[in-house]
Amino acid sequence: MIQLALSLPLLLALACLFGLQQRLRWLLPAASLPVIALAVLQESRLELDWLLFGLTVGGDAANRPLLLLLGLAWSLAAWHALDYIGERQRSFWFFWLLTLSGISLTFLAQDAVGFYCGYAVMGLAAYGLILHNRSDDARRAGRVYLILALVGEVLIISGLFQLGARFGNFPLADLGMLLGEPDGFGLAGWCLLVGFAVKMGTLPLHIWLPLAHPVAPAPASAILSGVIVKAGLLGWLRLLPPEMFGASPPVLALILLGLTGAFYAALMGLTRSEPKAVLAWSTVSQLGLILVLFAAASVSELERALLLPVIGIWVLHHGLNKAALFLATACAPTLTRWRLLLLALPALSIAGVPLTSGSLAKGLAKEGITQASLPDWTVTVFGLSSVTTALLLWHLLTRLRQNPGDARAHPAWVILTLLALVVPWLWAAQLGLASSPTLASTWDGIWPLLLAGAIALAWQRSGWRLPQWAGLPAFTLERVSRLKAVRPLAFSQSWLPRQVQPGPALLRLERQLARVPVVGLGLLALLLGLGLILIAGT
Amino acid sequence: MTTEALVGLIFLPLLGACATVLPGRLATRAGVLAGLLPLPWLLVVVTLAVVQDPALFVELGGFAAPLGIRLFADPLAVLMLWMVAIIGGLAAVHAWFDFPPDSPAGQSFWPLWLLLTSAMNALFLSADLFNLYVCLELVTLTAIPLIALAGSKTSVRAAMRYLLLALLASLLYLLGIALLYNATGTLDLYLIRTALTAAPPAAVVTALALISLGLLLKGAVFPLHVWLPQAHASAPGPVSAVLSALVVKTAIYLLYRLWLWSVPAGTLAAEHALMLMALLGAGALLYGGVLALLQERLKLVIAYSTVAQLGYLLLILPMAATAAWPVAWQGGLYQLLSHGLAKAAMFLAAANILHALGSDRLSHLRRLDQRQPLSLFTLAVAGVSLMGLPPSGGFLAKWLLLEAAWRSGQWWLLAVLIAGSLLAAAYIFRILAASLGRDDPTEAQPVAASRSIPVIQDAAALLLALLALGTGFAAAPILQFIEAGAPAAWSTP
Amino acid sequence: MSFGWQALPLYVTLVSVVTGILVFMLGEQRQHTRTALNLAGAILKLVLILIMLLAIQAGATFEFRLPLLPGIDLLLHADHLTMLFATLSAALWLVTTVYAIGYLEQSPNRARFFGFFSLCVAATMGVASAGNLFTFFIFYELLTLATWPLVVHRGTPEAFAAGRVYLAYTLAGGVLLLIGLVWLHTLAGGGDFVVDGTLAPIAAGNENALRGIFVLLMLGFGVKAALLPLHSWLPRAMVAPAPVSALLHAVAVVKAGAFGLVRLIQDVFGFELAASLGLTDLLAWMAAATIIYGSVLALKQSDLKRRLAYSTVSQVSYIALGIATGGVLATVGGLVHLVHQGLTKITLFFCAGNYAEAYGVHSVEELDGLGVRMPVTSVCFTLGALGMIGVPPLAGFVTKWYLGAGAIAAGAPWVIVVLVASTLLNAAYFLPLVHRIWFRPLPDTMAERADGLSRVRQIALVGPTAFVAITALAAGLLAGVPGSPLFWASRLVGAEAP
């Protein structure tokens, strides 16, 4: 099954190169189905000695929820894309499948090189998805994405070099053990943390997300936001075990960064009118919360074990719901009441309404953070973030209602929305973490909504509009790619003789030398010279 | 046996020359073949004898040294003789087509050619300064008409200038040996050393200076090279080859004999004189190289290249007083050998090109790789040796010279050697670049004589070039042979 | 001196010489015979090399020795390093021959071209199998001679100007090499290449002499390897036809220089000695500077081949960097890059040639939208470009992994900075090309033009391109398989295969 999961997308991508994707139409959504089986299986493992430096792949506790997310979201998005984009778009499907190959390897890899290999392929292939419509905006977004992705990747490889120098191509699961006694958060740690943060949209590195999502086609945005960004999280989980952080992990700094991101992104989202841009900011915001969870899980081995399943559930919840929302933007979700309901479900879920997967994830998260001996205000602020999330999603609904569109409701969207409602619960139940809601937890889920509703009403009444603000100085990295400042040092060839310059003068000299009197003079001079030298010797 | 062989080397070509002037069509052919063909076989005998005895003296007619004439053969002489046999022989093969023996041109060419061969052989075997003078004179006097045989105005003018300066040189030389004879009473190269120490220094000094000067002029050493380029460039192809490869070297050979065999070591501030000559050599190397780079005609480039390459032969002289002398000597002689082969090859190839294209201007050489591929190949292979690039005799020679310069600590020599070979590379590649050029439609083509070249002529040139290349692989036995006869290094006073 | 089975390296070299001479003799017109001869020569050589490879696996040794001067031998032998380079060049020769046959169809002076082409490979083979520095020098200079006619092949004034610069640099480099060689010879005699070198015993008291020798030799090799101040001949040599550029960059000239540096550190001085004299640091810094400088300049080139040329300047120095960094991992990285750079760069040059031949595309701007028109070539180009950047699982990544991890292991973390900067710069000058090819629309002027390549040429040009691209891909993807370049490089350093 692992072989199938890895090779099917790759083979289909190759088939696309030869234009066969039209004949294989029905295989395209199926390419990501085998990973579901791997997610359901408890353990799976495969060693391929002949590939790369010896590739190991398999499912374990860390990647199984991600695999499930990948399988479900990707297949349904592909189904949607089959109608939304059409199977004739060879280039789209090629990059789609190549990205899938990359991310499958990233999720499944159990060794450092395999992981990086998948990560890099995925990162580059996703560029093709962002650029799908070839507009100027898409190009700009693509360029910024690519530059950031590359910077991220070289940071990651720099970190991996440092680990590789000590452990070779190490098994990811054993990294903590290999590191042994924590020896402080070194350069390798920083490289990896920042490198993966690019994909995770952590605060100053988030700028590609709001640029890329609006320009990419809806199914591509769905998997970008729902699945691909989670690869960064997996990178953190895999390569930054608590041992990596040493005795005093920068947990607090990370939490602050995550929370800032969560609020800042939500506010930024409120200033946007394009629904997909709003959703992109929402993703940045949610990723900020995931960073908080990751930070909490880095306190020590104990917290990691405790929070890992929670993170899994959170990822599953956010990925499915966010993907559903992105698909919704292409399905005219406000056209009918049923569609509105289908749109509201994932939105409410992300806002954490009781009984939704969101409330499950948030409840577990708060519980985990409380147990992780972190400052009290962390949990409070974490809870407050639900308010801004709810506001943002309300903003999304109003934006979508203003421009309903007339697209067909695609079954993939419907199915994904329903799955998003159910699957996280099932997963939690399977892990024994699902519990029936208590009064406290219900209240926990409801008060942010009430608060948000109040603010929204007040806002609507006042008619006040948020100013359109461009966000953090959008340092357009595109300039880097057109370096003008670096003047080449002048290593010119001008010193090389084109023609020997002293030519004419020498030729004149030669003519003079050839005159007989001159020869005679030369003879005399030499005679004197030789004679004098010899006489001097006697 | 050895005696007969030595005598045969001198007299067979001489007799051949006599035969060629006899009436009858066959007589010329027979004379040429009889005069040239046996030489290599005789040389084998001589070589074997010299391997046994690296300083082989043969008294003619049984009279001992001071009175009778005696012949002398050592590895240096044998090396030169071989060069005469091989280069002269292959040049003769080439000349066979340009000067068919039964044509009027051939009638005047072959006697001179055979006389020249005989004179050179005699020169390399003589052990007596006066005999050497005679031989040297003969060499010059036969070479000059050969140049004029080209028949053009330039060639006659060049021959006349050569004649004038060569006679001047001969006079200087003659004056010198007269003084020497007066002072020492002997002219035997190998006996005079002891006599010189006892002789009055003023006479000796004057004599040495005069002889050296005469030889430098004959050897076309910078700045006295002025007669050479025109003479060598305007002569017929095979003559140019022999002039550049052998005739100028006779003077250098005599300089070696004089200074390394006859002058007593460590006297007369001789090392300073040698240094002066080395400086002239360095000057030749650089000046000749630059001028070769400036020439517009192929044969002139090659002729100036000769001026330059002769410089190497003088550069080794100051190392006679150092520990690096054996290496330097080997390097010098190897340079002599490989330059001779390569230069002859180049001149023969240039002659073919000149015949085929009707011009040897560099700007007319375009597309030579299609019009005269073999000649171009010959130029290139010989050029590799001249530049001192591996694998070639020239490379090994340069390696030895560099090693000697390094070991003796003569850093300036190192620089000169390097500069010389870079210049050589520059002018050789200039030729090659010109030959690979495309046709320029705007420029008028030269009136192509478009004479086809007999394969044998191409082959003779190519064979010489390949020999130059081959010396890059067969160095070990040759060097071993040379080493046996190396003049003793001067011990520094 | 034995001419038997032992002398196989000599015969391998001679195969190309003979092919070259026969091609010269055939003349211009007999095209089919020439093609057959070229292919036969290339295949025969490859077969001989494979036989040697198997024999060496089985423990055989090969050596041909001919005394040239007292104490100096012409020595051809076959050690692991030889085989690494020889296999690469023999395989790529075959591919390039096929490519060149297609590329030069109907162009003048083909006999000359293929003749020197063969001689060039013969010289490369000699460089690979040289058993001492003297022999190495002989073939190294022969390589200069054999490539010059190829550089000026087009016969235009620009070609001759480039040829002049090429000669000025390489001959000057040869001179430095020669001086260094003479110095070394007077100091230590002409020792054979031995792993870890032969100079350690005489090092005491001669430190400065050895430093001087090393610098001279390093500069001599550095000219061909295009180390920083000595690199500017390389971009100019781009006027040559595409197969020549491919050959110069991937197999022959540049590689010979890099190979010389490898020999110098590994088999003449030995890493320990070189490091203790502070020489490896010198080389490493020079290589690092070259890597960065070449990349920055590549960024500024709008001519496709010139951009590739500067990329070569940069990439070849990885080899030097790996060797000079030392330690098992980095050395493997450097050695394996010898092969990887060759495969990748030859792919790129073939592609550039295809673009130029099919649509007259020479500048970067003209690449817009060609992915649709020339899909196979463009896929190959993309693979090559990504390989150069070091994207896994392509060959360049394997190199970078070993270099990076090796640098850390050898205590030279600054190398990482160089690698990172170079990777980013590589991306900055390659990805825009890929972007243009695939994501820009085809200009209208181009859309109207019919396919530029005839069917036969299509096969002869695109076939080899695809082959080398796939090989480059496989070299990375299957790095763990016995027989991969990585495997050989690891064997060479005595490390266990990954």
Side-chain angles (χ1 to χ4, degrees):
Chain A
M1 199 46 111
I2 300 188
Q3 289 95 325
L4 191 65
L6 285 176
S7 58
L8 186 61
L10 205 55
L11 289 175
L12 284 173
L14 282 178
C16 278
L17 273 186
F18 296 99
L20 294 174
Q21 79 280 4
Q22 297 190 53
R23 293 202 197 150
L24 300 171
R25 184 186 153 88
W26 290 110
L27 268 177
L28 299 177
S32 42
L33 287 177
V35 288
I36 299 179
L38 296 177
V40 177
L41 286 173
Q42 275 298 330
E43 284 282 325
S44 53
R45 195 172 175 83
L46 177 69
E47 291 185 11
L48 298 166
D49 284 340
W50 50 274
L51 209 60
L52 286 167
F53 306 160
L55 185 69
T56 317
V57 284
D60 62 8
N63 67 7
R64 278 174 60 216
L66 283 166
L67 288 172
L68 187 59
L69 168 64
L70 173 66
L72 295 174
W74 208 287
S75 310
L76 290 166
W79 184 12
H80 179 249
L82 213 50
D83 296 320
Y84 182 72
I85 307 238
E87 68 273 18
R88 286 203 297 196
Q89 296 282 344
R90 182 160 67 165
S91 121
F92 175 84
W93 286 107
F94 173 72
F95 287 113
W96 177 270
L97 290 162
L98 197 62
T99 314
L100 176 60
S101 318
I103 200 163
S104 303
L105 181 57
T106 315
F107 283 1
L108 281 168
Q110 293 290 347
D111 66 310
V113 170
F115 180 83
Y116 178 72
C117 176
Y119 191 84
V121 169
M122 172 199 73
L124 286 175
Y127 175 73
L129 294 177
I130 294 172
L131 238 73
H132 172 70
N133 69 16
R134 309 285 198 270
S135 65
D136 285 344
D137 279 348
R139 283 179 209 286
R140 178 157 173 270
R143 192 178 303 136
V144 172
Y145 165 74
L146 193 59
I147 290 171
L148 276 174
L150 283 170
V151 169
E153 273 163 32
V154 296
L155 282 171
I156 293 166
I157 192 72
S158 310
L160 283 180
F161 284 156
Q162 300 172 50
L163 296 177
R166 289 164 67 189
F167 313 126
N169 182 17
F170 54 90
L172 293 170
D174 298 350
L175 182 59
M177 204 181 66
L178 286 168
L179 284 166
E181 283 300 302
D183 54 353
F185 195 51
L187 190 61
W190 280 112
C191 286
L192 292 167
L193 187 68
V194 180
F196 287 116
V198 170
K199 197 107 329 160
M200 275 290 284
T202 305
L203 205 41
L205 302 170
H206 66 282
I207 54 170
W208 66 273
L209 269 160
L211 287 173
H213 284 88
V215 294
S221 305
I223 50 117
L224 265 179
S225 235
V227 189
I228 293 181
V229 293
K230 307 297 191 302
L233 174 68
L234 185 65
W236 279 346
L237 291 175
R238 293 275 198 217
L239 291 163
L240 294 172
E243 286 86 349
M244 196 78 171
F245 288 96
S248 53
V251 172
L252 215 54
L254 288 180
I255 287 179
L256 275 177
L257 191 64
L259 290 174
T260 317
F263 287 103
Y264 169 78
L267 287 174
M268 285 302 297
L270 288 175
T271 68
R272 292 293 180 271
S273 55
E274 220 273 327
K276 278 162 77 181
V278 177
L279 278 174
W281 282 110
S282 158
T283 300
V284 176
S285 167
Q286 293 289 310
L287 290 172
L289 296 180
I290 294 183
L291 173 57
V292 175
L293 281 179
F294 171 72
S298 299
V299 175
S300 78
E301 200 69 62
L302 199 67
E303 274 79 9
R304 177 59 64 92
L306 192 70
L307 278 170
L308 194 60
V310 180
I311 293 177
I313 292 170
W314 186 288
V315 162
L316 203 52
H317 140 72
H318 173 252
L320 290 171
N321 282 307
K322 193 49 73 62
L325 281 174
F326 267 109
L327 288 190
T329 58
C331 294
T334 50
L335 209 58
T336 66
R337 211 161 284 183
W338 283 110
R339 293 193 196 183
L340 201 58
L341 179 63
L342 278 175
L343 172 66
L345 276 176
L348 289 173
S349 177
I350 288 180
V353 173
L355 290 177
T356 61
S357 58
S359 78
L360 166 73
K362 278 197 179 152
L364 288 170
K366 280 186 199 163
E367 205 174 311
I369 294 174
T370 321
Q371 286 176 6
S373 58
L374 289 168
D376 293 338
W377 54 264
T378 321
V379 183
T380 320
V381 181
F382 194 86
L384 263 178
S385 74
S386 298
V387 180
T388 47
T389 306
L391 267 176
L392 187 58
L393 293 168
W394 166 78
H395 177 60
L396 174 74
L397 285 176
T398 54
R399 297 309 311 174
L400 280 170
R401 289 189 73 159
Q402 277 174 12
N403 189 8
D406 56 354
R408 195 168 72 86
H410 196 276
W413 167 50
V414 182
I415 296 174
L416 189 57
T417 309
L418 296 177
L419 282 177
L421 212 56
V422 183
V423 170
W425 278 105
L426 290 177
W427 190 259
Q430 176 254 140
L431 291 173
L433 288 171
S435 53
S436 53
T438 60
L439 198 64
S441 72
T442 313
W443 174 241
D444 257 1
I446 286 178
W447 70 258
L449 279 183
L450 294 177
L451 188 54
I455 295 174
L457 271 176
W459 185 6
Q460 219 162 27
R461 284 281 167 78
S462 70
W464 180 67
R465 286 182 175 278
L466 278 172
Q468 288 279 322
W469 181 48
L472 284 179
F475 58 103
T476 42
L477 284 155
E478 59 197 282
R479 283 190 198 149
V480 179
S481 65
R482 293 181 192 157
L483 274 177
K484 287 259 159 61
V486 196
R487 285 258 148 224
L489 300 170
F491 279 113
S492 75
Q493 285 86 24
S494 58
W495 55 271
L496 282 170
R498 295 236 154 181
Q499 265 139 17
V500 183
Q501 285 309 312
L506 267 177
L507 284 174
R508 266 199 306 275
L509 173 68
E510 174 71 1
R511 272 200 296 280
Q512 288 298 318
L513 278 178
R515 289 171 58 208
V516 176
V518 180
V519 176
L521 277 177
L523 270 175
L524 277 179
L526 274 177
L527 184 64
L528 275 177
L530 259 179
L532 281 178
I533 284 175
L534 289 171
I535 285 165
T538 54
Chain B
M1 184 65 184
T2 316
T3 317
E4 285 80 356
L6 287 174
V7 173
L9 281 173
I10 299 170
F11 283 96
L12 275 180
L14 193 62
L15 290 174
C18 297
T20 52
V21 292
L22 290 175
R25 295 172 59 112
L26 264 178
T28 323
R29 282 167 194 266
V32 173
L33 294 178
L36 295 179
L37 276 184
L39 296 188
W41 311 110
L42 298 177
L43 262 177
V44 171
V45 175
V46 174
T47 311
L48 290 176
V50 170
V51 168
Q52 297 296 322
D53 176 10
L56 183 73
F57 285 95
V58 172
E59 273 98 22
L60 291 188
F63 294 103
L67 291 172
I69 294 177
R70 57 177 195 165
L71 297 181
F72 173 71
D74 68 351
L76 172 60
V78 170
L79 184 73
M80 300 303 294
L81 288 169
W82 270 113
M83 281 171 67
V84 173
I86 294 172
I87 298 172
L90 285 170
V93 170
H94 189 275
W96 191 273
F97 294 88
D98 288 348
F99 300 95
D102 41 8
S103 70
Q107 292 289 343
S108 39
F109 177 84
W110 290 107
L112 289 169
W113 183 270
L114 288 164
L115 274 179
L116 179 63
T117 310
S118 165
M120 283 193 290
N121 279 351
L123 187 140
F124 294 132
L125 289 171
S126 293
D128 178 290
L129 278 172
F130 185 74
N131 290 350
L132 284 171
Y133 165 73
V134 176
C135 296
L136 197 59
E137 209 54 23
L138 263 175
V139 168
T140 317
L141 290 179
T142 47
I144 287 168
L146 279 173
I147 296 172
L149 270 185
S152 68
K153 214 165 146 189
T154 20
S155 68
V156 175
R157 193 182 297 149
M160 286 311 291
R161 175 186 295 266
Y162 183 19
L163 179 66
L164 184 69
L165 294 179
L167 282 179
L168 185 58
S170 299
L171 281 177
L172 290 170
Y173 182 91
L174 192 60
L175 205 58
I177 56 171
L179 277 172
L180 268 191
Y181 190 65
N182 192 28
T184 61
T186 177
L187 283 176
D188 190 296
L189 263 180
Y190 308 95
L191 299 178
I192 207 169
R193 180 173 262 187
T194 40
L196 275 181
T197 40
V204 172
V205 162
T206 320
L208 281 179
L210 285 169
I211 297 175
S212 303
L213 207 55
L215 291 175
L216 289 176
L217 183 53
K218 279 225 165 160
V221 173
F222 171 83
L224 306 172
H225 64 279
V226 291
W227 58 269
L228 185 142
Q230 278 302 333
H232 286 199
S234 61
V239 179
S240 309
V242 167
L243 284 179
S244 258
L246 302 170
V247 173
V248 282
K249 304 246 167 71
T250 56
I252 307 290
Y253 168 85
L254 280 176
L255 268 182
Y256 282 171
R257 287 288 188 211
L258 181 70
W259 286 97
L260 300 175
W261 270 267
S262 304
V263 173
T267 59
L268 303 169
E271 61 267 33
H272 292 119
L274 294 187
M275 185 58 89
L276 176 71
M277 284 191 265
L279 283 174
L280 293 182
L285 198 52
L286 303 179
Y287 182 83
V290 173
L291 273 167
L293 205 50
L294 294 172
Q295 300 307 313
E296 287 305 323
R297 281 183 47 211
L298 177 58
K299 284 187 81 171
L300 273 173
V301 176
I302 306 174
Y304 272 104
S305 155
T306 302
V307 173
Q309 299 272 327
L310 287 173
Y312 282 121
L313 303 180
L314 297 180
L315 281 180
I316 64 163
L317 289 174
M319 287 186 269
T322 65
W325 175 241
V327 184
W329 177 246
Q330 289 178 350
L333 285 207
Y334 220 66
Q335 166 68 20
L336 194 79
L337 173 66
S338 61
H339 169 252
L341 292 168
K343 191 47 67 69
M346 287 196 100
F347 265 122
L348 292 187
N352 294 343
I353 291 169
L354 183 61
H355 282 314
L357 308 189
S359 159
D360 70 340
R361 297 195 76 82
L362 291 183
S363 56
H364 293 162
L365 292 186
R366 284 184 305 264
R367 289 197 306 110
L368 195 63
D369 61 314
Q370 280 153 53
R371 297 193 284 179
Q372 279 290 305
L374 271 183
S375 301
L376 179 58
F377 186 64
T378 308
L379 280 182
V381 171
V384 168
S385 186
L386 281 192
M387 286 184 257
L389 285 183
S392 69
F395 165 65
L396 292 187
K398 201 170 76 182
W399 171 273
L400 290 168
L401 290 175
L402 279 174
E403 192 186 330
W406 193 281
R407 280 190 197 280
S408 63
Q410 306 263 18
W411 308 113
W412 69 276
L413 270 181
L414 205 71
V416 170
L417 287 168
I418 296 293
S421 51
L422 282 181
L423 278 171
Y427 59 73
I428 301 281
F429 272 108
R430 190 159 159 262
I431 300 173
L432 300 183
S435 328
L436 295 184
R438 275 181 173 176
D439 268 334
D440 184 0
T442 57
E443 204 176 314
Q445 280 292 301
V447 217
S450 70
R451 218 195 73 183
S452 66
I453 303 297
V455 178
I456 304 281
Q457 284 195 322
D458 269 335
L462 184 59
L463 189 56
L464 278 170
L466 291 179
L467 280 174
L469 204 64
T471 45
F473 292 99
I478 299 178
L479 287 177
Q480 206 181 0
F481 178 64
I482 291 172
E483 206 181 0
W490 296 7
S491 53
T492 36
Chain C
M1 183 167 39
S2 115
F3 287 98
W5 157 258
Q6 297 276 302
L8 206 52
L10 175 71
Y11 301 131
V12 172
T13 310
L14 283 180
V15 165
S16 312
V17 177
V18 172
T19 313
I21 290 174
L22 288 178
V23 165
F24 279 128
M25 284 166 63
L26 272 180
E28 190 62 34
Q29 301 309 322
R30 296 157 78 179
Q31 188 190 337
H32 293 296
T33 325
R34 180 171 59 233
T35 305
L37 194 64
N38 272 322
L39 291 178
I43 290 169
L44 176 63
K45 177 181 207 114
L46 197 58
V47 169
L48 285 179
I49 296 251
L50 291 179
I51 290 173
M52 248 159 83
L53 212 54
L54 292 175
I56 284 180
Q57 279 285 67
T61 54
F62 293 99
E63 188 178 281
F64 170 75
R65 197 183 281 273
L66 172 77
L68 273 191
L69 285 174
I72 297 180
D73 297 336
L74 180 82
L75 175 63
L76 293 172
H77 74 167
D79 58 8
H80 282 99
L81 202 52
T82 302
M83 295 320 294
L84 189 73
F85 192 26
T87 315
L88 172 76
S89 59
L92 292 189
W93 184 36
L94 179 58
V95 180
T96 315
T97 304
V98 176
Y99 186 84
I101 288 168
Y103 188 88
L104 291 174
E105 180 142 335
Q106 261 124 52
S107 78
N109 297 330
R110 272 172 292 167
R112 183 174 96 198
F113 179 89
F114 282 106
F116 284 113
F117 201 71
S118 293
L119 291 185
C120 181
V121 175
T124 312
M125 205 49 67
V127 165
S129 52
N132 55 33
L133 264 182
F134 191 83
T135 315
F136 192 99
F137 176 74
I138 289 181
F139 287 103
Y140 191 77
E141 292 294 285
L142 262 181
L143 189 60
T144 307
L145 291 173
T147 41
W148 177 77
L150 297 176
V151 172
V152 303
H153 180 75
R154 291 206 196 275
T156 55
E158 303 84 62
F160 281 115
R164 202 155 48 224
V165 174
Y166 175 63
L167 278 183
Y169 274 88
T170 49
L171 288 178
V175 163
L176 293 179
L177 201 53
L178 184 61
I179 298 176
L181 220 52
V182 169
W183 193 355
L184 183 63
H185 184 68
T186 53
L187 197 68
D192 295 347
F193 289 143
V194 173
V195 176
D196 291 338
T198 47
L199 297 181
I202 61 147
N206 286 324
E207 285 88 356
N208 282 330
L210 286 179
R211 284 197 185 99
I213 291 170
F214 186 92
V215 169
L216 283 171
L217 296 178
M218 181 182 85
L219 293 178
F221 292 131
V223 167
K224 281 213 174 83
L227 276 183
L228 184 49
L230 313 168
H231 65 280
S232 66
W233 62 270
L234 186 63
R236 291 187 143 226
M238 284 306 94
V239 294
V244 176
S245 308
L247 195 76
L248 287 182
H249 286 254
V251 198
V253 178
V254 180
K255 237 7 116 42
F259 191 69
L261 290 173
V262 175
R263 285 284 195 204
L264 177 63
I265 289 201
Q266 299 261 304
D267 295 348
V268 177
F269 274 71
F271 182 81
E272 296 296 319
L273 177 60
S276 71
L277 296 174
L279 297 166
T280 51
D281 289 345
L282 176 70
L283 180 58
W285 281 106
M286 267 182 87
T290 313
I291 290 174
I292 302 296
Y293 181 80
S295 304
V296 171
L297 276 198
L299 213 51
K300 303 179 62 66
Q301 307 302 321
S302 63
D303 183 276
L304 183 56
K305 279 177 79 181
R306 284 181 72 89
R307 189 174 282 209
L308 293 181
Y310 277 108
S311 156
T312 305
V313 170
S314 161
Q315 290 280 334
V316 167
S317 284
Y318 275 42
I319 302 169
L321 185 63
I323 300 299
T325 306
V328 172
L329 287 176
T331 309
V332 169
L335 290 175
V336 80
H337 201 54
L338 208 67
V339 178
H340 288 166
Q341 191 268 349
L343 290 170
T344 315
K345 196 36 79 63
I346 207 168
T347 309
L348 289 171
F349 270 106
F350 281 178
C351 291
N354 290 355
Y355 287 132
E357 283 301 293
Y359 292 106
V361 169
H362 294 288
S363 80
V364 167
E365 284 78 19
E366 294 167 323
L367 285 174
D368 286 3
L370 277 179
V372 192
R373 271 303 172 88
M374 303 177 69
V376 182
T377 300
S378 300
V379 167
C380 295
F381 188 88
T382 310
L383 282 178
L386 295 179
M388 280 287 157
I389 299 169
V391 176
L394 297 159
F397 167 71
V398 178
T399 306
K400 281 205 173 126
W401 173 261
Y402 272 82
L403 273 183
I408 301 282
W414 60 271
V415 171
I416 301 286
V417 180
V418 176
L419 286 181
V420 164
S422 149
T423 304
L424 289 178
L425 286 166
N426 278 345
Y429 64 77
F430 271 129
L431 289 184
L433 305 189
V434 176
H435 174 91
R436 279 179 184 282
I437 291 173
W438 295 111
F439 298 110
R440 289 282 179 102
L442 200 65
D444 296 339
T445 48
M446 197 65 99
E448 290 156 12
R449 288 171 58 176
D451 196 340
L453 288 178
S454 68
R455 186 138 193 90
V456 178
R457 297 191 73 192
Q458 190 104 20
I459 295 167
L461 294 185
V462 178
T465 314
F467 176 77
V468 283
I470 291 169
T471 318
L473 176 64
L477 197 60
L478 306 179
V481 177
S484 71
L486 182 63
F487 170 81
W488 283 107
S490 311
R491 283 281 300 269
L492 241 164
V493 203
E496 64 214 62

